[in-house]
Amino acid sequence: MRNVITLTTDFGLKDYYVSAMKGVILGIAPDVRMIDISHDIPSQDIMAGSWILQNSAMLFPAGTVHNVVVDPGVGTDRNAVALKIGDQYFVGPDNGIFSLLTQNRDYKAVKLTNDKYWREDPSETFHGRDIFAPAAAHLSEGVPLEDLGEPLSELVTYRWTVPIADKDGLEGMVIHIDKFGNLITNITSDQIEEVIGDKSVKIYVGNTILDDIVGTFGAVPEGEPMAFIGSSGMLEIGINKGNAEEMLSVQKGAQISLILQKESQI
């Protein structure tokens, strides 16, 4: 038995959707522990959900089942899937939501075609309750992955744009904005070390120019912007006790540039 199920959705908590999924799960696996990763994924934002999963799912105990529902294609011909990555299990739509988890990892996947493990007469618009929740619960009760349906050799995948490095520095983009308004970029600390090193650099984001990468928020005065390496290992732009998204008027997809500064000639 696998006694932990996590839930990640874009449902929010205003409506009954999350509780309905939990009710179905408990009806099949009454002793399971359920953990909410997030229900505040922006509506229908598949890559935001993928980002949240990448930074949380693999930290859970071996055998955890992750029930993931960010599903703008519900009721279409997109596949419903279950997969195993390392010692973790995942259930959700095959729409790219698992892209970041699988890009550097081996996985084994099946289509959820065995309706023995669905609710009876599933809704065309609520697969989270009627297909994904029961499949996750049955997995947690020890049902083998292979019993849930037919093998699937390849999942739908998306990729974020890779940062561009040249003689002038690095150019990337904002890929995620967290609850605090921090602007998370696709530029990794390893890329900064390789391209920038200890050279002088200016960081351009929106109409703001920053002179350095600092260690923490307290390194700048309250209300001032700063660049730092976040807990995910990516370059972020934040405001000490403020919201960078609002104060800098920068949205997801915005360009961010790290420009090397030429040494003064004497």
Side-chain angles (χ1 to χ4, degrees):
M1 293 179 62
R2 308 167 185 117
N3 67 346
V4 177
I5 294 178
T6 76
L7 293 97
T8 303
T9 77
D10 59 353
F11 292 161
L13 296 176
K14 178 180 179 180
D15 297 296
Y16 68 89
Y17 307 128
V18 173
S19 61
M21 290 175 60
K22 290 182 176 182
V24 170
I25 288 169
L26 288 172
I28 297 167
D31 297 322
V32 75
R33 297 169 59 195
M34 282 186 280
I35 305 293
D36 298 296
I37 290 181
S38 177
H39 299 296
D40 288 327
I41 307 299
S43 298
Q44 305 178 4
D45 193 332
I46 292 168
M47 287 305 282
S50 189
W51 169 259
I52 296 295
L53 283 177
Q54 181 196 38
N55 286 284
S56 57
M58 304 307 288
L59 300 175
F60 279 82
T64 295
V65 180
H66 302 276
N67 195 351
V68 185
V69 191
V70 181
D71 194 15
V74 62
T76 68
D77 60 358
R78 68 96 185 91
N79 289 318
V81 297
L83 59 152
K84 184 180 182 184
I85 307 172
D87 57 12
Q88 306 286 306
Y89 293 84
F90 298 83
V91 176
D94 183 22
N95 60 6
I97 192 73
F98 302 115
S99 293
L100 297 181
L101 281 169
T102 59
Q103 65 182 352
N104 295 313
R105 298 181 177 97
D106 294 330
Y107 63 88
K108 183 177 184 179
V110 299
K111 299 179 186 179
L112 298 179
T113 53
N114 189 348
D115 59 9
K116 172 183 175 181
Y117 298 107
W118 303 359
R119 289 187 75 229
E120 190 174 345
D121 297 323
S123 164
E124 290 291 335
T125 59
F126 199 178
H127 288 182
R129 177 193 64 193
D130 297 340
I131 296 178
F132 301 136
H138 285 298
L139 273 175
S140 77
E141 289 289 285
V143 171
L145 182 71
E146 297 80 6
D147 287 4
L148 298 181
E150 58 192 79
L152 181 64
S153 60
E154 188 173 355
L155 296 173
V156 172
T157 56
Y158 295 139
R159 293 288 184 269
W160 273 313
T161 303
V162 176
I164 299 171
D166 58 24
K167 62 182 178 59
D168 296 318
L170 273 167
E171 183 176 300
M173 63 182 289
V174 176
I175 58 172
H176 186 72
I177 301 175
D178 71 12
K179 182 253 184 189
F180 298 99
N182 296 318
L183 312 174
I184 302 171
T185 79
N186 62 342
I187 300 173
T188 68
S189 58
D190 288 343
Q191 290 165 332
I192 293 172
E193 180 64 28
E194 180 180 348
V195 176
I196 306 299
D198 58 0
K199 301 182 184 72
S200 179
V201 67
K202 286 191 179 294
I203 302 158
Y204 295 79
V205 54
N207 295 320
T208 300
I209 304 174
L210 303 172
D211 294 325
D212 199 4
I213 298 172
V214 300
T216 188
F217 292 90
V220 301
E222 186 173 328
E224 290 297 312
M226 28 80 79
F228 63 100
I229 304 300
S231 60
S232 64
M234 316 296 277
L235 179 69
E236 300 186 20
I237 308 298
I239 303 284
N240 184 10
K241 297 185 179 179
N243 184 306
E245 178 185 22
E246 296 175 358
M247 296 179 70
L248 304 184
S249 298
V250 173
Q251 301 298 314
K252 189 161 67 170
Q255 179 178 311
I256 182 166
S257 301
L258 280 67
I259 305 299
L260 290 165
Q261 302 301 292
K262 296 179 180 179
E263 295 183 4
S264 300
Q265 301 293 320
I266 298 177

